[in-house]
Amino acid sequence: MSRARGTGHRLDVREEVLAEGVSPEEVYVDETCEGGACSRSLGLGPVRLTAGDVLPGGRDSLRLPIPNGGLDEYRLAWMTDASGPCAPPGMEAPPRSTLVLSDPVRPAAVRPAEAEGQVWAVVLHIPRASLALRPDHVELLLARPIPTGSGSAAVLAAFLATLLEHGADCRHEEQSRMGAIALDLATACLTEQLRVLETGTDETRAQTLLRRVHGFIAQNLADPDLTPRTIARRHHISLRTLYGLFSRQPASVATVIRRGRLERCHADLARPDLRRLSVQDIASRWGFTNPSSFSRAFREVYGISPTEHRATASATAPPDWSAA
């Protein structure tokens, strides 16, 4: 197994290693990316392990470190608080530690449990065909935080930490066996979470589905085809069921979509680095296809037009010296 180690390496080190014809799944690389963020990758036979700093995604969400990740896989991330941008692997699962299953085909907002500082993630990449669970059962677990304080989740988190610390020193055959064990532990953990959901109340299941829908909306606001019908179809529920989920919420599903898009537009119109884009360009970026309806909705929420908001933000913003 080829390895390149040491936090002083930059991304070009990985490129040099891959240029030697070594498969990414067989390479363990410490990388220092822009801003000091780190990423590691380790092939383990049937699965793969990556680790690094979690980066900001959309509002209240996080983007996991997934170099060379494919769409034909699930990603089970163990996220913990970290003391620095490159916290050492092998840490025991602290109280603020969460497992989260995600699907790159249908990304959703991912939030760690009560994380206060830098967040470190260890991600187990599981091929879809290797996970011995029905796809509709996996759907119930996506983006659902799994505490790691006890039971199979605690065992899995500890094993992932140990793999990250010592896995690169194992022979290739050992790594394949360790990967099979990691897959078995992940399957056991997710199966237990399904059992908990199945024994829960209808209200618990409804809240779980509602969180998934909110996450899906947050990650797809830029899609002009994001509609209640699309959301219902992607979550395998009827429109009536979707509307029922929001019947006791402060806002309807259509209002949540519209407000989310307006918030993104409001923020982008105030950004100095986006002044080169027209107001309609900004609106289109976030799914508004009709300029007049966008302006009307913006004024209803913020009391001024998009153009007035941009002018006010520009007048109060500090000079952009980078453009000089």
Side-chain angles (χ1 to χ4, degrees), residues 45-294:
V47 297
R48 185 165 60 91
L49 205 63
T50 59
D53 301 304
V54 177
L55 306 175
R59 185 187 61 176
D60 299 327
S61 69
L62 298 170
R63 182 157 55 88
L64 300 177
I66 45 175
N68 294 311
L71 296 180
D72 194 27
E73 66 180 19
Y74 295 112
R75 295 159 187 166
L76 184 58
W78 170 47
M79 296 187 291
T80 74
D81 277 358
S83 58
C86 287
M91 65 183 96
E92 294 183 1
R96 288 188 296 273
S97 172
T98 303
L99 285 165
V100 180
L101 183 68
S102 63
D103 181 350
V105 175
R106 281 165 299 187
V110 176
R111 301 171 178 83
E114 303 177 7
E116 295 177 348
Q118 179 69 40
V119 178
W120 174 263
V122 179
V123 184
L124 186 67
H125 300 247
I126 305 173
R128 293 174 185 271
S130 299
L131 187 60
L133 294 174
R134 286 170 40 184
D136 57 329
H137 286 175
V138 176
E139 286 277 341
L140 298 174
L141 299 174
L142 294 177
R144 180 178 182 273
I146 303 173
T148 57
S150 62
S152 57
V155 173
L156 175 59
F159 188 69
L160 294 180
T162 302
L163 277 179
L164 187 62
E165 184 174 16
H166 300 293
D169 300 321
C170 296
R171 293 180 297 106
H172 182 72
E173 294 77 9
E174 293 179 297
Q175 290 172 344
S176 294
R177 287 194 291 270
M178 294 299 102
I181 293 172
L183 178 58
D184 287 345
L185 289 175
T187 303
C189 175
L190 296 175
T191 300
E192 173 60 18
Q193 293 303 309
L194 281 173
R195 187 195 65 80
V196 172
L197 283 179
E198 289 171 355
T199 56
T201 63
D202 289 342
E203 181 63 23
T204 299
R205 287 192 289 270
Q207 289 302 314
T208 298
L209 180 57
L210 185 62
R211 285 195 298 269
R212 286 174 48 213
V213 169
H214 274 291
F216 181 83
I217 291 173
Q219 292 296 318
N220 291 276
L221 289 171
D223 184 357
D225 294 325
L226 180 67
T227 63
R229 187 175 298 279
T230 301
I231 295 169
R233 184 172 63 251
R234 293 293 292 271
H235 289 82
H236 309 290
I237 58 177
S238 66
L239 268 175
R240 180 177 180 180
T241 298
L242 178 64
Y243 291 142
L245 286 175
F246 283 82
S247 62
R248 289 184 290 172
Q249 299 299 305
S252 68
V253 60
T255 300
V256 169
I257 296 172
R258 184 173 63 255
R259 287 181 180 174
R261 286 173 168 164
L262 287 172
E263 288 172 2
R264 301 304 198 279
C265 292
H266 186 270
D268 282 1
L269 287 168
R271 288 175 53 180
D273 58 316
L274 296 181
R275 289 173 187 168
R276 69 187 185 282
L277 298 179
S278 68
V279 170
Q280 185 52 39
D281 287 338
I282 297 291
S284 297
R285 279 175 58 140
W286 294 109
F288 287 102
T289 58
N290 187 300
S292 60
S293 63
F294 165 65

